[in-house]
Amino acid sequence: MKQKKICQRLIRWETMLVVLLIVLWVVFDLKDAASQSADIANRKRTIKDVFNLPNMISGIGPYMLYGFMALGMTLILGMGGIDISIGAIGAMSAAVMAVCYGVFKSAMNPSLALVLSAVCCLITGAACGLLNGALITRFRELFPMIITLGTQLLYRGLTYLLIGGKPIQYKDDTVWESLKMLYNGSIKVEYSEKVLKMAKGATEPTESYITSTMSIPNILLWFFAFALIFFVFLHLTKWGRQLFAIGTNREASRLSGVRVANFELIMYMICGITAAISGMFYIGSASGTMRADALKGYEMYAIAAVVLGGFSTNGGTGNIIGVILSMFVFAVMKKGMGTVFLLIENAMDLAVGVVLIVASLLPNILEDISIKRRLHRQHKEAALS
Amino acid sequence: MAEKLLEMRHITKIFPGVKALDGVNFDLNPGEIHAIVGENGAGKSTFIKVLTGVHQPDGGEIILDGKPITMSNPNVALHRGIAAIYQHAASYPDLSVAENIFIGHEFKIGPFISWRKANSEAKKLLDSIGANFAPTASVGALSVAQQQMVEIAKALSQNARILIMDEPTAALSKKESEELYNIARGLRDKGVAIILISHRFEDIFGLADRCTVFRDAHYIGTWPIEEVDENKLVHYMVGHEIEHYYPERTPNPGAEVLRVENLCRTGYFRDINLNLRAGEIVGLTGLVGAGRTEVVEAVCGVTQFDSGKVYVDGKQQCFRDPKFAMANGIGLLPEDRQKQGLLLPWSICRNISLPILRKCSKAGIFVSNAAEERIGNEQKELLSIKAPTIETSSGSLSGGNQQKVVISKQLAASSHIIILDEPTKGVDIGSKAAIYQLMAELTKQGIGILMISSEMPEVMNMSDRIYVMSEGRITKEFTDVRHLTQQEILSAAMPQERGA
């Protein structure tokens, strides 16, 4: 019965995220419409509809970069751990990739060099994750947060050692720049867009329709593919079950025949690999330029998305669908704040922070209320008997 | 007799699924030592918690100095002069004796604490109970007996009139116990009333003036100590009807399934030799802290042993992880079922399937709910787990049924050696009987059971053989259980006197 309740709550949690998404959308759309009518009143020459679905999809790329990290982070938070070094792991892996490509391309076919350096990138991510996991499982008495804070600084420092303060780029190297294709759109969708133009001296704008193309960023498709894999892993396989078992009760899981330490080690490694994948996409998003301060702070966005998605930091509960939804909540919020309210990028973190805090407090508040009601009921029953 | 200091009438306390106290009476005169005795789970701890305001009673009244009062929280009890000293002294090992005594009610000069006053007052208190260590010493460096004196001094500093001592001598040598007795008698003569909770008959008969017996949450009676003897007390504590709870078994031991030779783990146990045959129940008993749990944990790969050998079905094994022990047919029912045995928020079904997920999965990877449910229902039927469905969360079950879920986990994983660590701890009488019945049935199927237990009647009635541990060693093996007395087991379980 309680199992069902938890299920119901999960469903409700995901519904809440959908509602949040819709509310955000409506607010931004209304504000957008309001600024359009203001433009009409001010007799501007062209009146643009900046916040709409095609624009949103075309511009979603930057907000998907930490999506892969977030998926990796679900494994860690599901077990009740945390890893705040993934931003640094992503940067280091990408740096290794850039440096390796430079070395390999002089010796072999550039395409092969790219593939090999991508492999090096993934291996670096795996190794960094493995180190995190080894430290965390070996020294249980230390907080994973502190250990990964240490490794975060370590990996970031190594990245600077590796490539220095200057960005690495390979100018006019088409093979290297094909990384952009990871990120940019290749699927174009045509749609008709309404354009309002104000003729000179007119009071009412004239409506016309033009055909525009929106490109669906490849990173979005990649994210969906990865999310599907993680969904199957977490919710349908025995490993997913074991993972949530560890998050619920580590000791009891161990006594039930789950090899907890090994399992944790492998999960931290996979998390490292997802960070490396984020690093690869980062190079693509930055038009082939790799900087040592890449992906700084992205681990926090990833954790925020996973927590907002319904994963408890104590471990044991969570659903990938929620994480996907919360990625979109963040994307819509940031994009909307930027285009409609014209706030600068960094100020938009404020809204993300508020939503995160409120959203994560909500279940606790609801639970408090239900516990109080149950106690009250029990007391009544005891008084009657 | 003078007016009662404390009277508690018809105290009832209900926890979800369990009546922990059912109409219990108790009274206390000023300047007496009153012992409360009863088996584990009889309700002593709950009673103390009600008295000290940790729990609120669901019925009954508490009358202090002739006036009914409510203990809404532990501070109220402290304020009224009721203080408890627990088995594991709740002190701050890194702070000094004086700091420990006056924590929470320091002597203050403005915002500052006057250490000079604290130290001199602490010295006075320590002198009054005959303790001869400095108030500036760090508590962590003191012996257990001395730490208890600090606790007593702390209680006195709060003007305690009623002092509750919970198993005060459990960790003390005979000599230290004598010192504690003297302190207790000294306090009694000064008019402090003491409630003594103890399993040790020496404490009860050496110290108490009266004693009250609880059994299964019920009040049995109160007697002046002169009117009872050990046999009577055991009789009251256990109750004669309990004899029916142990199923009749004809032991029929088969081949040896588990053999432990010279097992050592530094600091925990040494030279452990024991064996277990199919269809046999072997008891492993001793005082708490004798190292029993540590031995079975090392056997099951929860921890590692330093030296020695473990044979399972004649093959030498050294398990690096509990998983391997389970794969070889050893199932462990851990001591703390809520923390180690079960995933409380999870359903019965998911708890049972956790160790055998591979078996319940398609291609060994994708969990099949149908297979899980089939195994879950089978086990629920087999062990008659009382729950509406197998989807019921295990946290909402009663202690006995939770225990059955843990056992069914091991059975589903086809264990043929089952190690039960305190299988009936915190379980009500009815469920106890069900667990005993289950054990008897399992042995009929040829499963060997190694049972750790501190409850003497349980050990004596269920085991075919008994090993007794004390201070990390097996001190005695009893092969003939029929004519054994509790005293014989206890004398083997008692630690050897230090320096006496």
Side-chain angles (χ1 to χ4, degrees):
Chain A
M1 211 179 87
K2 196 171 179 192
Q3 196 67 25
K4 214 167 188 179
K5 255 188 207 159
I6 289 169
C7 258
Q8 281 168 349
R9 222 177 64 191
L10 269 181
I11 292 164
R12 231 190 301 158
W13 183 249
E14 268 103 55
T15 339
M16 264 175 58
L17 285 174
V18 172
V19 170
L20 181 62
L21 202 55
I22 292 171
V23 167
L24 283 172
W25 193 275
V26 168
V27 166
F28 289 134
D29 217 29
L30 286 178
K31 172 71 183 161
D32 195 21
S35 52
Q36 276 181 56
S37 28
D39 281 352
I40 292 171
N42 293 334
R43 298 174 179 238
K44 284 218 176 144
R45 291 296 292 278
T46 43
I47 296 108
K48 265 195 181 158
D49 177 14
V50 284
F51 188 83
N52 53 30
L53 192 62
N55 280 357
M56 187 66 228
I57 292 176
S58 317
I60 206 166
Y63 312 110
M64 287 291 121
L65 262 184
Y66 50 85
F68 305 99
M69 288 183 183
L71 291 175
M73 187 58 74
T74 59
L75 306 180
I76 307 301
L77 284 180
M79 295 190 305
I82 199 160
D83 185 344
I84 57 168
S85 70
I86 47 176
I89 293 178
M92 184 164 146
S93 311
V96 166
M97 181 170 178
V99 170
C100 281
Y101 180 71
V103 175
F104 293 157
K105 81 166 177 175
S106 52
M108 58 182 93
N109 176 336
S111 306
L112 187 62
L114 188 68
V115 172
L116 273 185
S117 55
V119 170
C120 289
C121 171
L122 296 181
I123 291 175
T124 309
C128 292
L130 213 54
L131 177 62
N132 282 343
L135 289 172
I136 286 164
T137 47
R138 175 70 187 78
F139 303 104
R140 289 296 314 175
E141 63 277 14
L142 296 177
F143 289 113
M145 173 90 90
I146 300 303
I147 292 178
T148 53
L149 175 62
T151 54
Q152 178 193 48
L153 298 170
L154 175 78
Y155 300 147
R156 187 65 71 180
L158 282 174
T159 312
Y160 274 100
L161 271 186
L162 207 57
I163 61 177
K166 272 195 211 151
I168 289 192
Q169 50 188 332
Y170 301 100
K171 272 193 184 139
D172 305 323
D173 185 330
T174 50
V175 176
W176 177 251
E177 287 186 352
S178 67
L179 275 178
K180 276 196 263 183
M181 288 318 295
L182 266 184
Y183 176 82
N184 289 341
S186 55
I187 302 174
K188 312 276 188 208
V189 178
E190 291 196 343
Y191 69 103
S192 69
E193 192 181 11
K194 189 170 81 174
V195 182
L196 295 175
K197 279 219 161 115
M198 193 79 89
K200 230 173 196 172
T203 51
E204 284 295 309
T206 50
E207 269 183 33
S208 63
Y209 287 88
I210 57 163
T211 311
S212 304
T213 28
M214 126 185 118
S215 68
I216 299 171
N218 285 338
I219 189 171
L220 185 63
L221 305 175
W222 282 108
F223 174 71
F224 277 126
F226 272 88
L228 183 67
I229 295 171
F230 274 80
F231 181 84
V232 170
F233 179 83
L234 267 183
H235 301 301
L236 300 179
T237 67
K238 64 169 182 180
W239 298 299
R241 185 69 73 77
Q242 290 179 337
L243 186 141
F244 285 125
I246 293 172
T248 306
N249 187 334
R250 195 174 183 278
E251 181 69 14
S253 302
R254 186 164 176 244
L255 291 173
S256 300
V258 180
R259 298 190 65 191
V260 175
N262 283 21
F263 196 93
E264 283 181 324
L265 204 61
I266 292 168
M267 291 306 124
Y268 276 98
M269 190 182 81
I270 295 177
C271 186
I273 294 174
T274 59
I277 291 170
S278 286
M280 237 186 269
F281 277 91
Y282 171 84
I283 300 178
S285 77
S287 316
T289 313
M290 177 59 208
R291 312 166 64 95
D293 63 351
L295 297 169
K296 210 163 202 172
Y298 274 48
E299 64 276 357
M300 289 306 162
Y301 293 131
I303 294 170
V306 176
V307 172
L308 182 62
F311 274 77
S312 149
T313 42
N314 296 326
T317 54
N319 193 307
I320 290 287
I321 310 264
V323 177
I324 299 172
L325 286 171
S326 66
M327 290 293 299
F328 290 127
V329 168
F330 283 170
V332 166
M333 194 155 46
K334 291 190 125 189
K335 183 89 179 156
M337 297 287 250
T339 54
V340 180
F341 290 94
L342 304 173
L343 296 174
I344 60 161
E345 178 96 9
N346 292 342
M348 291 176 304
D349 284 351
L350 179 147
V352 175
V354 171
V355 168
L356 180 66
I357 289 173
V358 172
S360 27
L361 284 184
L362 210 57
N364 287 18
I365 295 169
L366 291 178
E367 196 159 317
D368 270 3
I369 294 171
S370 84
I371 285 174
K372 267 189 198 132
R373 276 173 54 189
R374 203 175 63 217
L375 274 182
H376 188 73
R377 205 178 57 228
Q378 260 180 13
H379 218 80
K380 254 186 178 168
E381 278 167 15
L384 283 176
S385 69
Chain B
M1 205 175 280
E3 193 181 305
K4 304 271 187 218
L5 179 58
L6 172 78
E7 255 193 286
M8 295 171 80
R9 289 190 198 136
H10 310 299
I11 300 288
T12 300
K13 174 75 197 172
I14 302 162
F15 291 120
V18 191
K19 244 184 188 177
L21 288 174
D22 193 355
V24 164
N25 299 310
F26 182 78
D27 67 88
L28 192 64
N29 298 321
E32 77 162 343
I33 299 178
H34 193 147
I36 299 179
V37 292
E39 281 191 285
N40 288 343
K44 292 169 298 182
S45 319
T46 312
F47 178 77
I48 294 308
K49 282 179 178 160
V50 167
L51 178 56
T52 51
V54 178
H55 290 323
Q56 308 314 312
D58 294 309
E61 51 184 348
I62 303 174
I63 299 163
L64 189 68
D65 299 322
K67 277 176 280 207
I69 55 161
T70 46
M71 303 280 189
S72 45
N73 64 55
N75 281 333
V76 175
L78 263 183
H79 199 69
R80 305 266 185 178
I82 300 173
I85 293 157
Y86 291 102
Q87 200 172 333
H88 303 284
S91 50
Y92 304 88
D94 295 327
L95 298 185
S96 78
V97 171
E99 281 170 310
N100 264 288
I101 291 175
F102 294 110
I103 198 141
H105 54 284
E106 295 88 353
F107 296 102
K108 285 188 181 157
I109 305 170
F112 303 106
I113 294 174
S114 163
W115 290 119
R116 187 196 296 262
K117 180 116 193 271
N119 283 333
S120 68
E121 286 297 316
K123 183 89 188 117
K124 268 188 222 160
L125 281 169
L126 291 174
D127 285 342
S128 76
I129 58 171
N132 54 354
F133 45 88
T136 49
S138 155
V139 164
L142 300 177
S143 73
V144 179
Q146 288 170 324
Q147 289 185 8
Q148 256 168 5
M149 292 183 187
V150 174
E151 288 294 304
I152 293 172
K154 183 174 166 184
L156 293 179
S157 76
Q158 290 156 326
N159 299 318
R161 294 179 300 152
I162 298 173
L163 198 60
I164 300 158
M165 298 172 125
D166 190 359
E167 297 279 354
T169 58
L172 303 190
S173 71
K174 196 151 191 127
K175 193 155 153 272
E176 290 170 325
S177 299
E178 281 300 332
E179 279 173 28
L180 192 73
Y181 292 168
N182 285 333
I183 293 173
R185 289 191 194 105
L187 291 175
R188 171 183 62 188
D189 297 341
K190 283 178 198 156
V192 176
I194 295 174
I195 299 173
L196 174 74
I197 304 215
S198 181
H199 278 305
R200 283 196 180 179
F201 287 124
E202 303 120 78
D203 293 354
I204 297 160
F205 290 104
L207 203 53
D209 301 313
R210 286 194 298 162
C211 82
T212 291
V213 178
F214 289 174
R215 186 207 313 150
D216 300 327
H218 289 273
Y219 172 76
I220 302 301
T222 302
W223 298 271
I225 205 72
E226 303 82 40
E227 287 179 19
V228 287
D229 57 27
E230 266 182 41
N231 287 335
K232 261 189 186 166
L233 217 48
V234 169
H235 179 79
Y236 292 141
M237 277 163 66
V238 176
H240 45 81
E241 68 272 28
I242 203 160
E243 306 302 333
H244 302 295
Y245 284 97
Y246 302 106
E248 282 297 318
R249 296 177 48 241
T250 37
N252 180 24
E256 185 180 81
V257 287
L258 178 71
R259 176 179 200 82
V260 174
E261 278 179 9
N262 298 322
L263 207 65
C264 294
R265 184 176 173 215
T266 315
Y268 295 94
F269 55 81
R270 58 208 153 106
D271 306 328
I272 301 296
N273 287 290
L274 55 84
N275 69 335
L276 175 70
R277 280 169 290 187
E280 193 181 32
I281 298 179
V282 171
L284 180 58
T285 188
L287 299 178
V288 172
R292 301 165 303 171
T293 301
E294 287 77 4
V295 169
V296 298
E297 281 185 346
V299 169
C300 294
V302 179
T303 55
Q304 302 301 307
F305 49 85
D306 298 330
S307 65
K309 285 170 185 161
V310 175
Y311 297 91
V312 178
D313 299 322
K315 241 172 79 187
Q316 195 185 339
Q317 300 279 11
C318 174
F319 302 120
R320 279 180 298 114
D321 199 275
K323 181 191 168 117
F324 302 114
M326 291 184 84
N328 280 283
I330 302 183
L332 171 67
L333 179 137
E335 187 177 7
D336 188 338
R337 64 175 168 272
Q338 307 222 339
K339 284 196 187 126
Q340 303 170 303
L342 287 172
L343 300 160
L344 293 179
W346 283 27
S347 69
I348 295 172
C349 180
R350 287 189 169 208
N351 266 296
I352 292 175
S353 70
L354 185 58
I356 46 161
L357 275 177
R358 184 199 289 265
K359 235 202 289 185
C360 308
S361 301
K362 289 187 195 112
I365 294 174
F366 299 104
V367 179
S368 148
N369 289 328
E372 262 186 305
E373 276 167 27
R374 192 172 45 77
I375 293 175
N377 278 320
E378 257 171 37
Q379 291 296 336
K380 180 172 180 275
E381 196 79 7
L382 205 64
L383 273 65
S384 49
I385 297 167
K386 287 198 191 71
T389 70
I390 49 166
E391 296 305 324
T392 310
S393 87
S394 50
S396 66
L397 299 177
S398 73
N401 279 308
Q402 286 184 346
Q403 215 65 314
K404 282 186 191 170
V405 175
V406 184
I407 295 174
S408 66
K409 240 167 60 166
Q410 313 299 355
L411 293 180
S414 53
S415 302
H416 65 286
I417 301 166
I418 290 191
I419 300 177
L420 305 171
D421 196 347
E422 301 283 3
T424 59
K425 191 169 152 189
V427 168
D428 60 86
I429 285 283
S431 301
K432 270 186 190 174
I435 289 173
Y436 297 144
Q437 198 66 47
L438 178 63
M439 286 169 69
E441 270 160 37
L442 293 179
T443 54
K444 268 187 212 150
Q445 298 164 23
I447 289 172
I449 296 178
L450 178 63
M451 175 182 69
I452 296 182
S453 177
S454 306
E455 278 187 49
M456 287 301 148
E458 176 176 297
V459 174
M460 288 162 54
N461 284 291
M462 288 304 296
S463 313
D464 303 331
R465 281 183 296 135
I466 297 172
Y467 292 101
V468 184
M469 277 189 78
S470 173
E471 297 181 312
R473 319 178 66 148
I474 289 185
T475 46
K476 193 127 191 164
E477 180 190 349
F478 295 100
T479 46
D480 182 15
V481 190
R482 297 278 156 214
H483 311 290
L484 208 55
T485 64
Q486 197 155 338
Q487 209 52 47
E488 277 177 84
I489 297 179
L490 274 176
S491 69
M494 281 298 161
Q496 302 301 308
E497 297 308 336
R498 275 174 268 161

